[in-house]
Amino acid sequence: MLNTFAALFLAHTLADYLFQTKRMVETKKHPLTLLIHFALVLVTAGAALGQYARWEVLALALAHILIDITKAQFAPDTARTYLADQGAHLLTLIATATLAPNLWSTGLWASAPAILPSALLLIAGGLYATRAGGFAVGKLMAPYAAGAPEHSLPGGGMMIGQLERGLIYLMFLVGQPAGIGFLIAAKSVLRFDAASKNEKAEYVIIGTLASFGWAIAVSFVVLGLLHAMNGQPFLEIIAPKP
């Protein structure tokens, strides 16, 4: 089951955050855009699993598009909507992996080295921590745009956010989460001028905490799944079954 979920999770991050363009996001209500996105979801899921001739793969792609249609047609473009949308997508991945756990073992990559599913999970986690986190933080901060620091590089804040989330993710992977404290200190020093102005301080603090929180949460979940895939205690808290 976990191997299947890892493959499907990677497919989801690729379809939504690597291959989906900004124009596709902006024209999500158009039938052609939905059809292209459906094809992307189907292709990435089949490629990650190493097979297409299973109805579960088609059902997953259809469920993905139905969720997107519901969001585009009936929900406002807010942080809460984004989180609900991603929660629904992740639930479909979990449901598919639970109902059809052999999607991985019956696919083309089943004979690949045993480390492959773990590698897929780590890549997916990195994309989800950086790219998905950027959208989540961006939508959260949209109502507070008036408090954004002035005279910053175009897209600089977004790049800083992706880098800091990526570094946090790497720190957890190498077992050095204490390094996050150094990252917070470094960012505080570098953004001191913006943060020292009362009208800008809250904007910087909220954005930073949201960005760090997303990366830490994703890192914890990915590490927990990685441990479970390798037969280790979940985050070394729950003892393994004898």
Side-chain angles (χ1 to χ4, degrees):
M1 171 189 170
L2 291 177
N3 290 350
T4 296
F5 176 80
L8 293 177
F9 185 35
L10 176 62
H12 170 67
T13 57
L14 292 176
D16 264 12
Y17 300 108
L18 195 61
F19 299 140
Q20 183 173 216
T21 65
K22 181 180 180 181
R23 179 172 176 78
M24 290 175 65
V25 174
E26 294 173 347
T27 60
K28 211 53 169 298
K29 294 182 179 181
H30 294 182
L32 180 58
T33 300
L34 289 171
L35 181 61
I36 294 173
H37 191 53
F38 169 78
L40 282 175
V41 173
L42 186 62
V43 169
T44 54
L49 293 168
Q51 63 174 320
Y52 291 94
R54 289 284 294 266
W55 68 267
E56 293 92 344
V57 180
L58 178 60
L60 177 65
L62 288 172
H64 187 108
I65 295 303
L66 287 175
I67 293 170
D68 283 0
I69 291 174
T70 302
K71 175 189 173 186
Q73 296 292 340
F74 305 108
D77 188 19
T78 64
R80 289 184 178 180
T81 299
Y82 177 80
L83 293 177
D85 171 75
Q86 285 304 300
H89 284 313
L90 291 176
L91 284 176
T92 62
L93 300 183
I94 295 172
T96 303
T98 301
L99 297 174
N102 66 340
L103 282 174
W104 175 265
S105 61
T106 58
L108 184 62
W109 316 125
S111 59
I115 196 175
L116 181 58
S118 297
L120 298 183
L121 177 64
L122 291 175
I123 295 171
L127 286 172
Y128 208 69
T130 55
R131 294 281 293 163
F135 286 100
V137 175
K139 293 182 184 300
L140 175 68
M141 300 306 298
Y144 313 110
E150 300 174 356
H151 310 299
S152 60
L153 291 174
M158 180 177 66
M159 179 58 68
I160 290 172
Q162 290 192 7
L163 289 173
E164 70 189 14
R165 289 188 297 274
L167 287 172
I168 290 172
Y169 185 68
L170 288 175
M171 287 176 188
F172 271 96
L173 292 187
V174 299
Q176 296 295 328
I180 297 174
F182 171 79
L183 187 60
I184 293 175
K187 186 174 182 180
S188 299
V189 171
L190 295 174
R191 298 296 293 270
F192 176 77
D193 180 63
S196 63
K197 300 175 182 178
N198 290 334
E199 71 274 16
K200 310 297 183 183
E202 291 180 348
Y203 182 91
V204 174
I205 292 172
I206 293 172
T208 297
L209 291 178
S211 181
F212 277 51
W214 179 278
I216 291 171
V218 173
S219 299
F220 265 108
V221 172
V222 169
L223 279 180
L225 292 174
L226 187 65
H227 288 169
M229 290 171 69
N230 296 323
Q232 300 173 339
F234 186 79
L235 295 181
E236 299 182 352
I237 296 175
I238 302 175
K241 295 182 179 179

